Amino acid sequence: MLEKAAATSLNSKLVSGHKHFFAKMVVDAVLSLDPKQGLEMLGSKKVVGGSLQDSMLVEGVAFKKTFSYAGFEQMTKYFKDPKIVLLNVELELKAERDNAEVRVADVAAYQQVVDAEWDIIYDKLAKIVASGANIVLSKLAIGDLATQYFADRGLFCAGRVEDGDLRKVAKATKAQIQTSCNDLNAPGVLGTCGTFEERQVGGERFNFFQGCKGASTCTFILRGGAEQFIEEAERSLHDAIMNTRRLLKNPSIIAGGGAIEMELSAYLREQSRQIYGKQQLLIGAFAKALEVIPRQVAANSGMDPTDVLNKLRMKHAHGEKWYGVDVVENGVCDTMEAFVWEATVMKRNALAAATEAACLILSVDETVRNPASEQPDKGNFPGKGMGGKGRGGGRFGRGRGRGRIMSVASAIPQDVEGYLPFTSIVVMNCEDPLGLRAMRKGRSRRSGGDDFGDADGLSPSAEEGGLGRGRGRRREEVDGGLPSSRWGRQQGRSGAARAP
């Protein structure tokens, strides 16, 4: 049953052509794990090259060979019942830092400093060998000196092992990660496994730790022609693994393909006829909503949803409760016999979540609208400009002093939709080709030049009486490409001027 359920979850994936091959692999991996353990003990490694059928399941820990120095090929690559030591220690001679300073009196003292460095690393290597370990794994680097030292004594070592792989080996072999080479002979420090072997997989070399008694663990080694294809296969296997684990915890299945939804819909329609009042309409609407699943499945398969639903209603009315959509033969079939299965707990959770979401939406009594939020850009276009400051009796004049003309954009009512057309109209209606006579503001005690002020509209104060005393000043460049011009005292000596 587990293999059939895993094959059902893989049926719609990219690896559907190899669903039976991967279904057996998934079931074996899930059954080998402890039910109380999580998925952290189930790893996967990707190797580009080969076909999907070359993928394998390793009952243990496997990881790629790490960076190695000279002497690595002389090491022993196979052990049976080895002792494993895990370190977080750097076994490498390193050059001193640039700011290191050692003051010596003679050459002999300098030689003592150099010999001390060699004595320290040789002491570490000797303690590791004396512990009786056959395999040395370290999270940090293991240099060429240590590599050759271990190779001469028949040990295997690997440095720069990834933290996740090192922790997985620690759990599987019951070894403890050490930060020092002292006390390696203490009980419980070293771990063990059934067999250790380094093998070639495609273009990569892998280290295999199998027969681990500390904890159940498995590793998938996925093969494929492209990296993207392998990643999709990994996601597909993850879905199958989760489905299988749920079935182990809740061993109950139902037929898929919309069969359970049609059976529930038929049952609710029958029960609604025995209920009086508005509750009958509510139950009928719920029953109709359940038919959306088989309808959508039929539509996605290229079939006529109405024809398929009519056939399903007829089958379920005659007691054929496991009939659902047959996407292979384009019709209806008994999905239980076709091994289209779903976990009961998953379907219960889906129906409960959909019902709660519908009740939450129906519980909303009123929706509050904020009209200001419907125009988010309105705040960037203020409706009024700065009031003009000029000596005059105009409606927009404020205080004494010469006014300052603003651009056309600040003088136009800030209507976003009519902004550009209105600007062009103002420019085209100007009598003066070098300026905007329409924007005159203020009133003066004596006739003469033009007085300009900041505008909130188009020259309303000029219409009210715009005789102004003005002094020549440079006008700002306005929108629309009109050039700047200098207005002198002689500009408006002709008398009163009216806005066009």
Side-chain angles (χ1 to χ4, degrees):
M1 183 181 73
L2 293 177
E3 291 186 10
K4 294 294 184 181
T8 301
S9 62
L10 294 173
N11 195 32
S12 60
K13 304 297 190 299
L14 192 63
V15 295
S16 59
H18 308 276
K19 62 180 180 180
H20 297 291
F21 172 77
F22 283 108
K24 186 179 184 303
M25 188 183 299
V26 167
V27 173
D28 293 341
V30 173
L31 292 178
S32 64
L33 294 178
D34 190 349
K36 298 181 180 179
Q37 293 178 346
L39 294 180
E40 66 274 3
M41 299 302 294
L42 189 61
S44 63
K45 302 297 180 179
K46 298 180 282 291
V47 181
V48 179
S51 63
L52 285 175
Q53 296 289 340
D54 296 331
S55 302
M56 66 180 71
L57 176 66
V58 179
E59 294 184 358
V61 183
F63 56 86
K64 293 181 181 180
K65 183 183 79 69
T66 58
F67 178 79
S68 58
Y69 290 91
F72 181 81
E73 296 297 336
Q74 303 175 16
M75 290 184 177
T76 306
K77 304 300 176 61
Y78 178 84
F79 290 96
K80 187 175 182 180
D81 296 327
K83 293 182 179 180
I84 304 171
V85 60
L86 306 180
L87 301 175
N88 190 14
V89 180
E90 188 174 27
L91 302 176
E92 184 178 16
L93 281 174
K94 295 184 63 177
E96 294 293 341
R97 296 182 178 179
D98 295 338
N99 58 353
E101 181 178 355
V102 179
R103 296 186 179 184
V104 294
D106 52 9
V107 178
Y110 175 77
Q111 186 63 35
Q112 292 178 357
V113 174
V114 175
D115 294 341
E117 295 179 352
W118 288 85
D119 292 340
I120 291 174
I121 188 170
Y122 273 119
D123 181 62
K124 293 180 181 179
L125 299 178
K127 290 179 179 180
I128 294 173
V129 175
S131 66
N134 305 111
I135 299 174
V136 182
L137 302 180
S138 178
K139 184 179 178 181
L140 302 178
I142 297 179
D144 51 353
L145 174 65
T147 302
Q148 189 64 47
Y149 187 92
F150 290 139
D152 294 340
R153 288 157 180 79
L155 276 70
F156 176 88
C157 68
R160 295 189 177 94
V161 181
E162 294 184 3
D163 183 68
D165 295 332
L166 196 66
R167 293 183 181 277
K168 194 177 298 182
V169 172
K171 290 182 180 180
T173 61
K174 290 186 177 180
Q176 298 179 3
I177 301 177
Q178 302 295 309
T179 57
S180 173
C181 293
N182 300 322
D183 298 329
L184 294 181
N185 294 321
V189 174
L190 301 182
T192 183
C193 65
T195 58
F196 167 79
E197 183 181 6
E198 180 177 303
R199 298 204 308 261
Q200 189 80 17
V201 179
E204 303 286 347
R205 297 175 70 176
F206 274 76
N207 299 324
F208 294 88
F209 296 83
Q210 295 176 302
C212 303
K213 300 179 181 179
S216 299
T217 178
C218 289
T219 305
F220 289 98
I221 298 182
L222 303 177
R223 304 291 304 277
E227 185 177 356
Q228 295 81 359
F229 187 81
I230 300 176
E231 292 177 354
E232 180 62 28
E234 183 182 14
R235 288 189 288 267
S236 303
L237 290 180
H238 181 270
D239 295 342
I241 291 170
M242 297 304 297
N243 187 24
T244 306
R245 286 174 62 89
R246 289 191 184 97
L247 283 178
L248 285 177
K249 295 180 180 179
N250 301 278
S252 177
I253 59 172
I254 56 175
I260 189 63
E261 286 83 4
M262 290 301 300
E263 181 65 19
L264 289 175
S265 177
Y267 176 80
L268 291 176
R269 290 181 189 275
E270 184 66 25
Q271 292 296 320
S272 65
R273 297 188 181 95
Q274 304 175 10
I275 299 175
Y276 177 78
K278 295 181 180 179
Q279 290 81 3
Q280 181 181 8
L281 300 177
L282 177 62
I283 297 175
F286 193 93
K288 183 179 180 180
L290 290 174
E291 295 181 351
V292 173
I293 300 298
R295 180 187 296 273
Q296 192 63 40
V297 172
N300 294 342
S301 303
M303 294 182 284
D304 185 5
T306 304
D307 186 25
V308 173
L309 285 179
N310 289 335
K311 292 180 181 179
L312 290 177
R313 291 192 188 103
M314 181 190 67
K315 291 292 184 180
H316 285 268
H318 288 83
E320 303 288 347
K321 62 179 181 179
W322 296 129
Y323 262 75
V325 182
D326 186 3
V327 299
V328 179
E329 301 295 336
N330 291 338
V332 296
C333 68
D334 191 335
T335 53
M336 181 65 74
E337 295 181 358
F339 303 110
V340 182
W341 297 343
E342 295 184 43
T344 305
V345 63
M346 297 174 62
K347 186 59 66 176
R348 285 177 180 173
N349 294 337
L351 291 176
T355 304
E356 291 175 1
C359 293
L360 180 62
I361 295 174
L362 292 176
S363 64
V364 177
D365 297 330
E366 185 178 356
T367 303
V368 179
R369 294 175 62 253
N370 185 10
S373 64
E374 298 178 0
Q375 300 178 358
D377 295 335
K378 191 174 182 180
N380 298 328
F381 299 94
K384 293 185 178 181
M386 298 172 57
K389 294 184 179 181
R391 184 175 180 181
R395 182 170 54 185
F396 294 86
R398 295 292 185 270
R400 292 176 175 270
R402 238 174 304 175
R404 179 172 60 88
I405 187 168
M406 303 294 288
S407 64
V408 175
S410 63
I412 299 174
Q414 303 298 335
D415 185 3
V416 179
E417 296 181 356
Y419 181 77
L420 291 177
F422 194 66
T423 305
S424 61
I425 292 174
V426 173
V427 174
M428 291 174 63
N429 290 337
C430 291
E431 294 180 353
D432 187 1
L434 298 180
L436 297 179
R437 301 281 301 272
M439 299 175 61
R440 296 176 183 173
K441 301 291 185 212
R443 177 182 297 167
S444 177
R445 296 178 181 176
R446 66 180 183 177
S447 62
D450 299 325
D451 189 9
F452 291 91
D454 288 350
D456 194 17
L458 287 180
S459 64
S461 58
E463 296 178 357
E464 292 183 2
L467 293 179
R469 184 187 63 188
R471 295 183 180 273
R473 61 174 304 172
R474 183 178 180 83
R475 301 191 60 204
E476 297 181 6
E477 185 176 353
V478 298
D479 297 343
L482 292 179
S484 301
S485 62
R486 183 177 298 275
W487 290 59
R489 295 184 179 180
Q490 298 85 6
Q491 180 65 31
R493 299 291 184 180
S494 59
R498 302 288 294 178

